[in-house]
Amino acid sequence: MSRPTDRSWPNREDEPLSGFYGAEEAGIRRSVDDEIWSFIDRYLEQHGGGRERLIPLLHRIQEKIGHLPFEVQEYVADGIGLAPVQVYGVVSFYHGFTTTPRARHQLKVCMGTACFAGRSQHVLDALAESCRAAPGGISDDGLFNLDAVRCMGACALAPAIMVGSAVHGNATPRKARRIVNDLRDRAGESAGESGE
Ligand code: FES
């Protein structure tokens, strides 16, 4: 398979350095490197091509780099033996796939009244420090999006945080740091497994 020679990213210098496309995006940029092409090659060598491999492979890629850039989709199409438009069709059909850079783990801290009274600001600060992402931003390793949100409807568990779709109640800075460390450890383990 021929690998893309120009994987330059759109020039966003004229866009504000804030939020998702801000300075933090650099972490995502770094995560799309030569390693992903080798990963795809290895996966197809081990599992073979064929349409049935498409969705599992796309999931694995998105787990690794947070989204599915178009050049990666084309490379997958080439390797699996599909037309690029067939891969685009699958990626655009399933809500679980995204072509927009997104962190692997979505962390939300409730700043609603009950949670704020329960010192959720301290939890947010601890998460920001441990995952190295400002609220509203993405961590430099592309693993975490961190957001401060309004009432999540779990006031009885205040202060509450969400990790993906799971609510964690009675959050403390210590628990928050532990969650980030566990997720980071797991990411390291899965990276090791995918390099087998
Ligand atoms: S105020 Fe935080 S869940 Fe309601």
Side-chain angles (χ1 to χ4, degrees):
M1 286 184 284
S2 61
R3 296 183 180 192
T5 53
D6 178 9
R7 294 193 292 280
S8 59
W9 285 71
N11 180 5
R12 295 200 177 102
E13 286 179 358
D14 53 348
E15 294 187 14
L17 291 178
S18 63
F20 201 83
Y21 292 113
E24 299 86 356
E25 186 197 2
I28 286 289
R29 291 186 191 192
R30 281 195 299 272
S31 71
V32 183
D33 55 24
D34 282 347
E35 196 272 338
I36 197 63
W37 315 114
S38 302
F39 169 76
I40 295 168
D41 291 345
R42 281 197 308 274
Y43 185 94
L44 292 175
E45 277 169 23
Q46 288 172 3
H47 302 283
R51 179 184 283 270
E52 69 278 10
R53 294 292 174 203
L54 177 60
I55 289 179
L57 176 56
L58 292 176
H59 275 298
R60 293 295 300 275
I61 296 168
Q62 188 163 289
E63 280 171 19
K64 291 176 74 63
I65 61 177
H67 70 304
L68 298 166
F70 290 112
E71 67 268 36
V72 169
Q73 293 180 49
E74 288 173 358
Y75 193 70
V76 167
D78 189 26
I80 279 189
L82 296 172
V85 69
Q86 292 176 286
V87 178
Y88 301 154
V90 169
V91 170
S92 57
F93 181 79
Y94 289 103
H95 292 300
F97 293 132
T98 178
T99 57
T100 305
R102 192 170 70 181
R104 184 185 305 181
H105 301 292
Q106 314 297 312
L107 308 177
K108 296 184 174 74
V109 179
C110 180
M111 301 299 280
T113 305
C115 292
F116 191 79
R119 301 165 72 89
S120 59
Q121 181 65 53
H122 294 281
V123 177
L124 179 63
D125 292 344
L127 277 176
E129 186 186 349
S130 56
C131 75
R132 301 191 292 275
I138 189 168
S139 61
D140 57 5
D141 56 7
L143 274 180
F144 303 101
N145 274 120
L146 177 62
D147 287 297
V149 299
R150 294 184 183 182
C151 179
M152 303 189 299
C155 310
L157 301 175
I161 63 176
M162 277 187 86
V163 181
S165 58
V167 175
H168 295 249
N170 304 310
T172 63
R174 190 173 176 179
K175 282 186 189 172
R177 280 190 286 266
R178 193 184 315 139
I179 286 170
V180 167
N181 290 338
D182 286 349
L183 291 173
R184 195 167 265 136
D185 287 348
R186 265 188 255 163
E189 284 167 16
S190 75
E193 286 167 16
S194 64
E196 79 247 12

